[in-house]
Amino acid sequence: MPNTLSYNQDRAVPSGERFDSRYIFIENKQEFEPDGPKNAPIDGETAQTVVDSQRDIEARTALAKEVAVSYTPEVHHISEQKQYEQSVGHAAVRTAWFRQEQLTQHELELAG
Amino acid sequence: MGFWSKTAKLITGNEPKTRLRRRKLTHRDLIRLESKIGAQLFGPVPAGHRREFFCLDDHTWIWYEEWTENGQHHEITTRYEVHPNGILKVQDGQPYAVVEGEELRNLAHATRLYHDRVAREIYQRDPISGQPLSTPA
């Protein structure tokens, strides 16, 4: 997974499918009512749907983790780059200030 | 140490100020002094090479390298410009490029060292506080 990949929740869903918030309920072991009331009997087809959904969730979770892992170093990388850039700029500003102070002081000494 | 320098040290107890104070200084004089330090920051300069590295102003760093190879004279001037969105690298005949990765790290370390050494060795100032260094009695 390239570390330039930016995180996007949609990327955690296999291509061709849209993210379905109902899966979150399964993942969190909360109520799941895909097709009916909470206590409705679940026929074989519905059960298979739930199992498939669970597999999808696991696949999505794994993919999301993979994306998250690749995302974290990028955040760090950007932050580090910014720090180096600021350091280069800071050194230039400070050095220019030292130089100008030296010239000003020198002028004063010559004048005095 | 000359007569006047020795006398000054006897009177003040301090090493005399450098030649910086003896004549009218220019911006270019100071850059030339700084560049002598800057050229040392990247390791030894190869025989036959001339290197300059200095802070041009409050947002520009210059790297200059000159050498002769197989009877041919070469010189490269690289300008690093500090912009709000990053450091831009400019070389003769090359498009602008954003500095990143190892080159940025090296540049950051070099400019930090440059700043610290120039502050102490040329301007006799503390690199962090900016205050004049106190001379030991």
Side-chain angles (χ1 to χ4, degrees), chain A residues 80-82 84-85 87-89 91-99 101-103 105-107 109-110, chain B residues 20-21 23-25 27 30-31 34 55-56 58 61 84 86 100 104-105 108 111 115 119 123 125 127-128:
Chain A
E80 190 178 59
Q81 165 135 348
K82 202 71 193 164
Y84 285 134
E85 289 169 356
S87 176
V88 172
V93 169
R94 297 269 299 177
T95 301
W97 182 82
F98 285 137
R99 192 184 298 154
E101 283 291 299
Q102 182 72 45
L103 289 171
Q105 188 180 339
H106 183 66
E107 289 287 336
E109 285 177 3
L110 288 181
Chain B
L20 290 180
R21 309 291 169 87
R23 62 178 177 83
K24 184 169 171 58
L25 278 176
H27 195 253
L30 295 178
I31 286 181
E34 290 179 20
C55 170
L56 180 66
D58 61 5
W61 293 90
E100 52 192 1
L104 178 60
R105 276 197 297 278
T111 53
H115 165 269
Y123 302 118
R125 285 179 180 269
I128 297 171

Side-chain angles (χ1 to χ4, degrees), chain B residues 4-86:
Chain B
W4 289 111
S5 298
K6 286 180 184 172
T7 305
K9 188 177 181 184
L10 279 173
I11 294 171
T12 64
N14 296 334
E15 287 289 340
K17 298 293 184 186
T18 65
R19 58 188 170 177
L20 290 180
R21 309 291 169 87
R22 291 184 191 161
R23 62 178 177 83
K24 184 169 171 58
L25 278 176
T26 65
H27 195 253
R28 180 173 293 196
D29 290 333
L30 295 178
I31 286 181
R32 197 174 291 126
L33 289 172
E34 290 179 20
S35 186
K36 285 182 182 171
I37 290 175
Q40 303 166 11
L41 300 177
F42 301 91
V45 180
H49 281 232
R50 179 185 157 210
R51 178 181 298 161
E52 306 280 351
F53 180 73
F54 57 89
C55 170
L56 180 66
D57 54 37
D58 61 5
H59 63 278
T60 314
W61 293 90
I62 302 286
W63 169 300
Y64 173 81
E65 191 100 14
E66 179 184 1
W67 72 101
T68 300
E69 189 176 331
N70 300 327
Q72 273 204 319
H73 181 76
H74 301 272
E75 59 180 42
I76 295 179
T77 303
T78 305
R79 197 168 76 238
Y80 294 98
E81 297 180 358
V82 181
H83 288 267
N85 295 333

Side-chain angles (χ1 to χ4, degrees), chain A residues 25-91:
Chain A
F25 290 109
I26 287 184
E27 191 174 29
N28 294 339
K29 300 189 187 313
Q30 294 181 15
E31 292 180 351
F32 176 56
E33 301 175 306
D35 299 306
K38 182 178 175 184
N39 296 320
I42 298 177
D43 59 21
E45 187 180 351
T46 304
Q48 186 59 47
T49 303
V50 172
V51 169
D52 290 343
S53 298
Q54 185 65 37
R55 285 184 185 145
D56 285 346
I57 288 164
E58 287 169 4
R60 290 183 177 99
T61 303
L63 185 57
K65 281 179 183 172
E66 202 174 355
V67 169
V69 165
S70 67
Y71 175 64
T72 305
E74 186 193 9
V75 172
H76 179 67
H77 171 71
I78 288 171
S79 169
E80 190 178 59
Q81 165 135 348
K82 202 71 193 164
Q83 284 176 20
Y84 285 134
E85 289 169 356
Q86 287 173 349
S87 176
V88 172
H90 183 71

